[in-house]
């Protein structure tokens, strides 16, 4: 089969690889129909995640058709149409019993990280009964690809951890796909203001169309001053970090109001300063989280009922044999205006 392989820092290639085989009774082999590229894949290619070693097939999102199942799989059978969760969960360990599937002792975020992932024609899914979701007939596959990771990540790590409430003021730092997904899902809770911050005017225009009440281009280094002015020097109730670099987290520290929340979503590969000298007396909470995907069933319903439309995030489409072009497009988003790309296997 064809597969996108991480070869070394900054290097990747489309290679021929053997079709995966069932190695545990709880496994399923899934034929990929559609997948996508995540910002985390770019972090891997930059060397930010040492857990992912060269030779790994990348990718942790997608929809597909079950090809075969292990003897202990009871929920799914060959031919079933399924959504793949980016997090694999056994369902029985101490963390899974707390719905902290991201820290499953035999799973967690392993796809495209410590085991081969979904940017291929086939993928092995451990703990299939807990890590796959049935797709009803007629469902929009492209929309559901966004349910593997981006929507639950933005919702759980950003909106829920940030305790967005009716009438609150929210700033989302980063108007990339994750930040825009946070913008879509934050509106479940009717905040009074959602301020989007980014360096890219195109993405800020997209944010306005998605429901942002205000936008700030941070390229002049004065985003904190602009947001404090917008909020009458009060700051924001929730600051969501959706980039993963020191400057964006430090911006969140500057703009959060007393009693507010900083919710980190971004994948950080470098040291970030925590300015307790200015935060120690401000009654704020700072949360970190790896997505657990526990909200996939709820988000599934919101998509089915058309409360949100994650297809708005899709800007480009490619076949698997053109995945290197897809990476080039996704990695140069400022020039290509890419948000999420769909890759059809």
């Amino acid at each position: 089969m064809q597969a996108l392989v991480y070869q070394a820092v900054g290097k990747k290639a489309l290679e021929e690889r053997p079709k995966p085989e069932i190695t545990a009774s709880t496994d399923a082999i899934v034929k990929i129909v559609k997948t996508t590229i995540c910002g985390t894949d770019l972090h891997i290619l930059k060397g930010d995640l040492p857990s992912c070693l060269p030779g790994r097939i990348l990718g942790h999102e997608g929809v597909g058709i079950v090809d075969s199942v292990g003897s202990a799989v009871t929920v799914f059978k060959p031919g079933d149409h399924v959504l793949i969760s980016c997090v694999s969960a056994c369902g029985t360990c101490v963390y899974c019993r707390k719905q902290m599937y991201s820290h499953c002792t035999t799973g967690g975020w392993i796809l495209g990280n410590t085991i081969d992932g979904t940017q291929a024609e086939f993928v092995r899914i451990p703990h299939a009964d807990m890590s796959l979701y049935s797709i009803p007939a007629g469902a929009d596959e492209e929309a559901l690809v966004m349910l593997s990771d981006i929507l639950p990540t933005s919702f759980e790590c950003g909106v829920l951890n940030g305790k967005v409430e009716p009438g609150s003021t929210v700033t989302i730092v980063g108007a990339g796909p994750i930040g825009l997904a946070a913008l879509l899902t934050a509106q479940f809770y009717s905040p009074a203001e959602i301020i989007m911050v980014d360096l890219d005017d195109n993405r800020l225009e997209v944010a306005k169309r998605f429901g942002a009440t205000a936008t700030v281009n941070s390229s002049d280094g004065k985003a904190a001053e602009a947001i404090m002015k917008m909020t009458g020097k009060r700051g924001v109730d929730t600051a969501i970090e959706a980039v993963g670099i020191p400057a964006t987290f430090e911006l969140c520290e500057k703009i959060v109001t007393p009693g507010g929340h900083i919710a980190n979503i971004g994948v950080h590969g470098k040291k970030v300063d925590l300015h307790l000298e200015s935060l120690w007396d401000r009654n704020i909470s700072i949360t970190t989280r790896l997505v657990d995907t526990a909200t996939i069933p709820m988000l599934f319903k919101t998509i089915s009922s058309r409360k949100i439309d994650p297809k708005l995030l899709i800007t480009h489409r490619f076949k698997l044999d053109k995945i290197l072009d897809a990476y080039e497009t996704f990695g140069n988003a400022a020039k290509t205006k890419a948000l999420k790309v769909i890759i059809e296997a």
Side-chain angles (χ1 to χ4, degrees), residues 171-247:
T171 289
I172 301 170
V173 182
I178 280 285
L180 291 170
L183 169 61
L184 289 175
T185 55
Q187 292 173 72
F188 292 158
Y189 296 97
S190 301
E193 296 179 77
I194 306 179
I195 304 165
M196 295 293 294
V197 180
D198 203 274
L199 298 167
D200 187 326
D201 283 331
N202 173 66
R203 288 189 166 185
L204 292 175
E205 282 299 317
V206 172
K208 287 180 182 177
R209 296 202 301 270
F210 282 19
T213 57
T215 59
V216 174
N217 188 308
S218 56
S219 57
D220 62 0
K222 297 180 179 179
E225 293 92 326
I227 293 166
M228 294 305 287
K229 184 177 180 180
M230 287 178 181
T231 58
K233 299 184 180 179
R234 175 178 169 270
V236 300
D237 301 300
T238 300
I240 297 175
E241 198 288 327
V243 181
I245 60 173

Side-chain angles (χ1 to χ4, degrees), residues 63-107:
V63 298
I65 306 294
V66 175
D67 180 71
S68 58
V69 298
S71 59
V73 176
T74 60
V75 178
F76 300 99
K77 63 185 186 304
D80 285 350
H81 199 190
V82 291
L83 167 73
I84 299 167
S85 168
C86 65
V87 166
S88 302
C90 73
T92 59
C93 73
V94 62
Y95 295 113
C96 284
R97 288 179 182 275
K98 298 178 183 178
Q99 287 198 317
M100 290 176 60
Y101 304 133
S102 60
H103 293 277
C104 173
T105 56
T106 55

Side-chain angles (χ1 to χ4, degrees), residues 43-60:
H43 278 285
I44 289 171
L45 289 167
K46 289 193 295 183
D48 288 345
L49 285 116
S51 57
C52 185
L53 300 176
R56 179 68 59 226
I57 297 172
L58 295 183
H60 49 267

Side-chain angles (χ1 to χ4, degrees), residues 254-273:
K254 292 176 181 177
I255 62 174
V256 66
T257 193
H261 307 274
I262 297 174
N264 184 83
I265 306 178
V267 177
H268 289 271
K270 296 181 179 178
K271 179 179 75 70
V272 178
D273 290 330

Side-chain angles (χ1 to χ4, degrees), residues 268-288:
H268 289 271
K270 296 181 179 178
K271 179 179 75 70
V272 178
D273 290 330
L274 177 61
H275 291 284
L276 283 177
E277 74 278 8
S278 58
L279 297 174
W280 70 271
D281 64 344
R282 294 176 68 80
N283 294 47
I284 69 161
S285 64
I286 299 174
T287 55
T288 65

